[in-house]
Amino acid sequence: MKTILLTAATGALLFTGVYANTGEAEEMTEDNEPTTFEKETNGSAQEEMEVIQNQLPSGNDSVQVIEDNPYKRILFIGDADEQKKYKTIYIKDTNRLKIIDLNGGQIFNEII
């Protein structure tokens, strides 16, 4: 399941520029290739996803990019039924990652 989450998230981050301008959240699938993602990012997004994977239990394989601009990236992470369970906020200038359980509050808030 972690592989699915990482693959889906990397693909989601690839296409965020298109959706960030329109304000629409779009579901990303596991069909996107991580190799393309690694070439087009500076590595911070990959580090961000590794921390998210380590902090969240397996079984979360739905990722929605809500916002991705030069300052921050906001994701909703959920289960296969597309139920949103977690929200992540990554502040790019300070490399701060916040992970929030939508039912239980903040579970992670550190500089990565």
Side-chain angles (χ1 to χ4, degrees):
M1 286 297 172
K2 286 187 177 186
T3 305
I4 293 171
L5 174 63
L6 183 59
T7 304
T10 55
L13 294 173
L14 268 176
F15 297 105
T16 55
V18 174
Y19 302 110
N21 292 334
T22 63
E24 297 176 13
E26 184 69 23
E27 184 74 24
M28 297 295 144
T29 64
E30 62 183 278
D31 297 335
N32 302 309
E33 297 181 16
T35 54
T36 306
F37 168 73
E38 292 168 0
K39 292 177 186 175
E40 294 184 7
T41 62
N42 60 4
S44 66
Q46 185 175 5
E47 183 178 336
E48 172 190 355
M49 289 312 301
E50 288 176 12
V51 173
I52 291 170
Q53 267 191 313
N54 291 332
Q55 293 295 317
L56 300 181
S58 62
N60 299 302
D61 47 356
S62 170
V63 177
Q64 290 181 333
V65 177
I66 302 304
E67 182 176 349
D68 189 8
N69 61 44
Y71 309 104
K72 65 183 172 184
R73 181 174 20 254
I74 299 175
L75 307 174
F76 276 122
I77 300 172
D79 58 15
D81 298 328
E82 298 181 17
Q83 295 284 340
K84 296 175 184 170
K85 292 185 173 185
Y86 303 96
K87 178 180 181 179
T88 68
I89 303 168
Y90 179 65
I91 309 299
K92 296 177 180 180
D93 293 340
T94 60
N95 291 330
R96 179 168 295 278
L97 176 64
K98 298 178 184 180
I99 303 174
I100 302 164
D101 182 340
L102 296 177
N103 295 320
Q106 184 170 292
I107 57 175
F108 187 84
N109 183 2
E110 292 183 18
I111 296 173
I112 56 173

